[in-house]
Structure formats: structure tokens, C-alpha cells
Amino acid sequence: ATLTLNTLASTNVYRKKRFGGGAADGVSRQSLTASIGRGGLLVVTPDPVVPFAASSFEQAQDFSLDADGSLVSIDWITSGRATNGERWDFDRLTSTTRVSNAASMNRQPVLVDALDLECTPAEAAARAGNSCRGEIFGFDFGRFVQMNGVVSVIVAGPRAVPLLRSGFERAADALCAQFTRTRTRKKPQAGQSVDRYDTAGTETLPRAPALPAMAGRVLLGLSEVPNDAGAEMFCVRMAAESNDDIFRLLHHTMLPLS
């Protein structure tokens, strides 16, 4: 059997409500628990979570894999309503995905993928306001590289891993070729006070398989997940300046599932 779960639009997380005239203590919560039986395939491909300013969100996903069960799960978080000036402007966001082996006696998870982001008022004030929270969370690298989306993709089982592993590996190679260059460093000549680079001799890395055009920087890493059950499993983490690039990459790498 095969089941696909998706959404019609992004999941908006609104500002926390005030109860009884007190502090804003409302937290939005979302959870999913699923068991994938022998030979089954579950594909969870929601649109991204968009946390509004002063919102708080908790998400928990628990998947139990039977023998030969397969899973593809996407957990995608954006920086919020960036066009409204709300970049990473939420109070707290946590998301935890657990994958366990149904045949295991203790049901301990073989994979826990977690994200826990919180910015206290003191931290925000120390960084001169909410606009710097991307730096606090580690998604901004100076003024020139500011990530606006992060996604985790978990792929497990015989019906998913063989279809998707090579696509993500090729995407990583293509991104390296797109954003990495080799340059020749030359010694300062007479009258020069600093080293210079011979840009005329710049060479790109060997051309990798074509990817959709990217609007900004993209970071991608793939990690194998060892487990006692011997099931194939890997996790992909991506961060991008543009969420459109995340969509393009996910669409490109997951075409084999169609």
C-alpha cells in the first residue's frame, strides 16, 4: 500500500493569543503518529510552516517502520513573513521527528531529528532587536548570506532509498560545482601591498548534472543513518536564502516517486 499526505497551502502559525488578560501563553501544536506496515510506503510532503511574529509552535512526528516498510518525510520551516520584515521573529519553534523499528523490543527510535529555536527578549535586545534573530539562530552569515528556509528530509526503506539517494547525491555535487571555484594565488608584485588572485585562471569544478536555476545560496548535506535493523535510511538537511529554491530542489530530487 502507498499513502501520500500533503497540504493545500503553507501552515501559518499566528501570533499567540492572550487568555484572561494575562500574558500571551498560547502555543500552537501539531502532531502526527503513523505506522508503516510490511511493504508499505508513506510519503509526507507538506508545504512549509510559516511562523508569524510573536508566535510559538511545537510539532511532533512519530513513525514506526515494520520490516520492509518505507518512509519519505519532509519537515520544512521558513523564516516567516520575510516580506513584512518578520524574519525569524517568532518566540519559539520546536519540531521533532522520531523513526523507530516496529520489531524492536524497546521501541527506541533509530533516528531523532530535532530543531529547537528560541529567542528570549534579553537575547533579542542584546542583538539590537528582532531583525537579528536569524543571526542568533545561526541562519545568517553576515549581511550577505541570510537563510530564509530550512528543511529536513528523511528517507527510509526499500521503496524509497533506491529511488531518491542518487538524486540527492547528484544535487549535492551540482551545488558544489555551482558555488565552488578554484583560484590561483599570486605573490604581491612591486608596489602592491596585498596578495591578489589570478581571476583569469579561474576554473570551475567539473560540470555536474543540471539543476534548476537557483535564486540564491543553498546548503545541502546528506547523512546515512545506521541502525540495528539493517534498514537503509538517510537524512538530508537543506538551508536556502530562497524558499523557492528549496521547492525546486525537492521537486527535482523527488521526481522518481511520481
Side-chain angles (χ1 to χ4, degrees):
T2 301
L3 175 64
T4 300
L5 299 178
N6 50 34
T7 55
L8 297 177
S10 300
T11 299
N12 294 333
V13 184
Y14 297 99
R15 180 187 300 269
K16 293 185 294 185
K17 294 182 178 180
R18 296 182 181 273
F19 297 96
D25 56 359
V27 178
S28 300
R29 294 180 175 87
Q30 179 172 278
S31 63
L32 171 63
T33 302
S35 297
I36 301 96
R38 182 183 295 271
L41 170 62
L42 175 62
V43 181
V44 184
T45 54
D47 289 284
V49 172
V50 182
F52 286 24
S55 65
S56 187
F57 179 67
E58 295 178 1
Q59 176 174 264
Q61 300 185 112
D62 289 276
F63 302 105
S64 176
L65 281 173
D66 205 340
D68 296 330
S70 299
L71 170 69
V72 178
S73 172
I74 293 176
D75 184 12
W76 182 359
I77 308 294
T78 76
S79 62
R81 299 186 297 178
T83 55
N84 289 8
E86 297 179 3
R87 290 191 63 254
W88 308 109
D89 202 10
F90 49 83
D91 288 344
R92 188 181 183 192
L93 186 149
T94 65
S95 181
T96 305
T97 301
R98 296 179 177 86
V99 181
S100 60
N101 176 17
S104 174
M105 295 295 293
N106 54 17
R107 292 295 180 92
Q108 291 295 313
V110 296
L111 169 65
V112 177
D113 182 56
L115 184 68
D116 190 345
L117 304 175
E118 182 175 16
C119 180
T120 65
E123 289 174 322
R127 298 281 184 148
N130 293 335
S131 61
C132 297
R133 290 190 182 187
E135 187 176 335
I136 296 173
F137 295 147
F139 295 127
D140 288 357
F141 307 94
R143 293 181 301 161
F144 302 106
V145 181
Q146 297 182 335
M147 299 302 182
N148 287 298
V150 59
V151 61
S152 292
V153 184
I154 297 173
V155 181
R159 293 185 58 189
V161 172
L163 287 176
L164 301 183
R165 184 200 301 274
S166 61
F168 279 109
E169 290 176 344
R170 288 197 300 268
D173 291 341
L175 289 171
C176 285
Q178 182 175 347
F179 293 117
T180 305
R181 297 189 303 173
T182 59
R183 297 186 294 182
T184 303
R185 188 176 187 179
K186 290 190 173 182
K187 294 181 179 180
Q189 297 179 355
Q192 291 181 333
S193 58
V194 296
D195 291 357
R196 67 184 181 89
Y197 290 95
D198 182 9
T199 55
T202 296
E203 296 180 357
T204 59
L205 295 177
R207 190 171 183 83
L211 275 182
M214 297 289 107
R217 294 277 181 176
V218 179
L219 304 178
L220 186 153
L222 185 152
S223 301
E224 298 289 340
V225 181
N227 60 89
D228 295 337
E232 288 189 291
M233 187 183 306
F234 65 88
C235 180
V236 175
R237 274 273 177 94
M238 283 189 282
E241 291 182 281
S242 169
N243 281 284
D244 288 340
D245 285 342
I246 292 178
F247 175 83
R248 294 185 187 100
L249 279 170
L250 290 176
H251 183 267
H252 180 79
T253 53
M254 292 197 174
L255 276 177
L257 283 176
S258 62

